[in-house]
Amino acid sequence: MTFVFNGGPGAASAYLHIGAVGPQRVEFPADGTFPPLPPRLVHNEESWLAFTDLVFIDPVGTGFSRLIESDDAKKNGNGADADPNEYFSIIRDLESMCEFIGRWLSDNGRWGSAVFIAGESYGGYRVGRLTRMLQEKAGVALNGAILISPALEPAHLSTVFGWGDYEVVPWIDILPTMALAAVHHGRSRAFDRGAPAEDVQREAESFATGEYATFLTRGASMPAEERDRVLTRFADLTGLDRELVARAEGRVRVSQFARELLRDEQKVIGMYDATITATDPFADRDLFNGADPTLTGTNAVYTTAINRRLRSELGVETDREYLLLSTEVTLAWKNDEAIHYVQQTQGAVDDFRYGMAMNPHMKAFITHGRYDLMTPYYATDRIRNLMRLDPSVAERLTVRHFGGGHMFYAWQESRKAFTAAIAEFMAAATLS
């Protein structure tokens, strides 16, 4: 059986539930573009129910999940037993996931079942850390872990939010995805439109980890001629204006790239799927004030569809609002780990390696959409090459990417391939 959750933090599980793995899904066009409204729910031929039971987890403050009063609290008039904000933090969130999974297995008599965990985005971060915590502290033996578009090292996401003038790694990770987006939209000056993705990735990755990495680390100390060559190559690969790249000192933020690539057409590309475009409603303004077409634009689609599924079809009766993506949770999120003040948020990779080494039979599957600008595929590929995995551990880890963006399963071809890959993965992970 598989426990499934999303990320955010502050996201409910609806994205995976009705987007990819549940018995019904939102019907998107085959290329993942915005569907007609109201959204249709259709039978999901790629549902994982064909090979595993599914339990969808909405952490506190998401979906219909709220902190409620216990019988003792009601009797004494004390209100809820804890402050909901207690759960809007790294460790308490992970602990609550362990508590839920353990209680569910007990309440439903399923301790004898093969257990998998699957999480998307920050949910992938959760999976990485739960790989250790579930086994070490909750006593839940895992057959497998599935990390979907994971944010394995949150500290490396600075390019998304416009920071990182002094960083190196985030800029390296995002460049190959920018190059793929430029080719897709016919803006690359290094590749023809329709060039094989593998060729684009290979060239962009080589440049990113070679000349570009040197440029990022040397800064003003690099000779002018070398700097000019790197900036020109960067501009050619990404399809951006050479002067814009020079002004940005070779550090082009994701939000800037999404706005500038097709600006002459008054279009923006999606940060969660760079193949998707939308009209820029304020093309004359210096700052972008529109919505991201691949997250904000689809919120109403998923919210409408999950409410229909739960309330109309399954008969859930509640006056609670279904919170697909709670900004209250996101803004209140904090780091409750005991760390020195100069330390950043602990990544998930060390706990993931720990959990894999602790359980010699557990398998793991990490996957991204190639056009995801938020959690770029190359971040995982680069980290995978730095894990120093023993061969016996390495053979239990699968890293595979698909066409599409953060929610790559919106693409019909990718959803079918992903489901087939997971079915094979789970079969191998449950062999006695």
Side-chain angles (χ1 to χ4, degrees):
M1 64 174 313
T2 306
F3 294 92
V4 183
F5 39 89
N6 275 84
S13 61
Y15 294 100
L16 287 172
H17 184 172
I18 58 172
V21 307
Q24 289 194 327
R25 63 173 177 83
V26 179
E27 185 178 40
F28 279 86
D31 61 357
T33 50
F34 200 88
L37 299 179
R40 293 183 62 227
L41 283 171
V42 297
H43 173 68
N44 185 13
E45 295 182 355
E46 290 75 52
S47 174
W48 292 7
L49 280 174
F51 45 84
T52 181
D53 291 334
L54 298 168
V55 179
F56 297 97
I57 302 177
D58 291 343
V60 175
T62 72
F64 290 139
S65 181
R66 306 288 190 274
L67 207 61
I68 61 175
E69 295 177 281
S70 66
D71 291 339
D72 288 341
K74 290 179 180 178
K75 181 178 180 181
N76 298 324
N78 295 330
D81 298 286
D83 180 356
N85 284 350
E86 171 190 331
Y87 291 86
F88 304 160
S89 54
I90 294 172
I91 295 301
R92 188 67 190 100
D93 169 70
L94 294 171
E95 290 173 344
S96 71
M97 300 288 278
C98 289
E99 292 163 10
F100 177 89
I101 291 171
R103 289 183 182 182
W104 196 96
L105 292 172
S106 294
D107 291 347
N108 293 276
R110 296 297 296 269
W111 281 96
S113 300
V115 175
F116 295 82
I117 51 176
E120 179 181 60
S121 196
Y122 186 85
Y125 173 83
R126 285 177 169 131
V127 169
R129 300 204 63 178
L130 288 172
T131 298
R132 174 178 181 174
M133 186 179 285
L134 272 171
Q135 299 186 105
E136 186 176 48
K137 296 190 176 179
V140 177
L142 293 176
N143 288 75
I146 302 164
L147 296 81
I148 305 164
S149 304
L152 290 172
E153 298 289 319
H156 292 171
L157 298 179
S158 59
T159 55
V160 172
F161 303 103
W163 308 324
D165 281 352
Y166 320 107
E167 302 291 337
V168 173
V169 167
W171 306 104
I172 292 173
D173 289 343
I174 198 62
L175 177 58
T177 304
M178 289 181 173
L180 284 167
V183 171
H184 177 85
H185 292 290
R187 294 306 178 95
S188 174
R189 295 185 292 277
F191 291 92
D192 293 332
R193 190 169 195 165
E198 295 78 10
D199 293 348
V200 179
Q201 290 175 226
R202 183 167 51 251
E203 172 62 26
E205 291 166 13
S206 177
F207 171 72
T209 56
E211 289 182 288
Y212 183 54
T214 302
F215 167 86
L216 292 170
T217 55
R218 293 187 64 182
S221 71
M222 178 177 275
E225 184 177 340
E226 293 182 45
R227 286 173 56 83
D228 183 71
R229 184 175 65 249
V230 171
L231 291 172
T232 298
R233 185 59 175 164
F234 182 100
D236 288 346
L237 282 167
T238 60
L240 296 175
D241 181 78
R242 171 65 173 73
E243 292 184 7
L244 183 152
V245 172
R247 286 197 305 272
E249 290 285 331
R251 287 172 162 85
V252 178
R253 300 184 300 277
V254 166
S255 56
Q256 189 177 17
F257 177 75
R259 177 69 174 317
E260 295 293 336
L261 185 64
L262 302 178
R263 189 164 188 172
D264 60 335
E265 299 180 19
Q266 298 188 8
K267 291 182 179 179
V268 294
I269 65 172
M271 290 194 289
Y272 287 81
D273 184 341
T275 69
I276 307 297
T277 65
T279 299
D280 186 343
F282 309 107
D284 59 315
R285 300 182 185 178
D286 291 336
L287 298 177
F288 178 58
N289 293 306
D292 177 79
T294 50
L295 182 66
T296 311
T298 58
N299 276 352
V301 174
Y302 280 102
T303 300
T304 299
I306 193 64
N307 273 290
R308 175 182 172 184
R309 175 66 176 156
L310 297 178
R311 297 180 193 270
S312 302
E313 298 186 1
L314 298 181
V316 175
E317 296 184 4
T318 178
D319 59 359
R320 295 179 187 174
E321 177 187 2
Y322 188 93
L323 298 176
L324 177 71
L325 187 57
S326 172
T327 54
E328 177 186 355
V329 174
T330 304
L331 294 174
W333 203 260
K334 58 185 179 297
N335 188 348
D336 58 345
E337 294 190 270
I339 59 175
H340 193 273
Y341 79 98
V342 299
Q343 289 179 278
Q344 297 175 311
T345 299
Q346 179 179 327
V349 178
D350 277 1
D351 280 356
F352 176 71
R353 291 170 62 181
Y354 186 107
M356 288 286 287
M358 179 170 51
N359 179 345
H361 302 290
M362 191 189 83
K363 297 181 181 295
F365 191 106
I366 307 179
T367 180
H368 289 263
R370 295 188 185 92
Y371 296 96
D372 179 8
L373 290 165
M374 299 300 285
T375 56
Y377 81 89
Y378 192 63
T380 286
D381 286 3
R382 180 184 53 77
I383 290 170
R384 165 64 181 82
N385 293 331
L386 297 175
M387 284 188 190
R388 306 175 186 176
L389 297 178
D390 181 87
S392 64
V393 177
E395 67 183 10
R396 293 186 278 117
L397 171 60
T398 300
V399 178
R400 181 177 173 185
H401 309 312
F402 299 92
H406 199 70
M407 289 83 83
F408 59 82
Y409 42 78
W411 286 30
Q412 178 177 304
E413 181 180 358
S414 296
R415 185 176 60 255
K416 289 177 179 290
F418 178 45
T419 298
I422 294 300
E424 181 180 347
F425 166 79
M426 287 191 175
T430 52
L431 290 174
S432 56

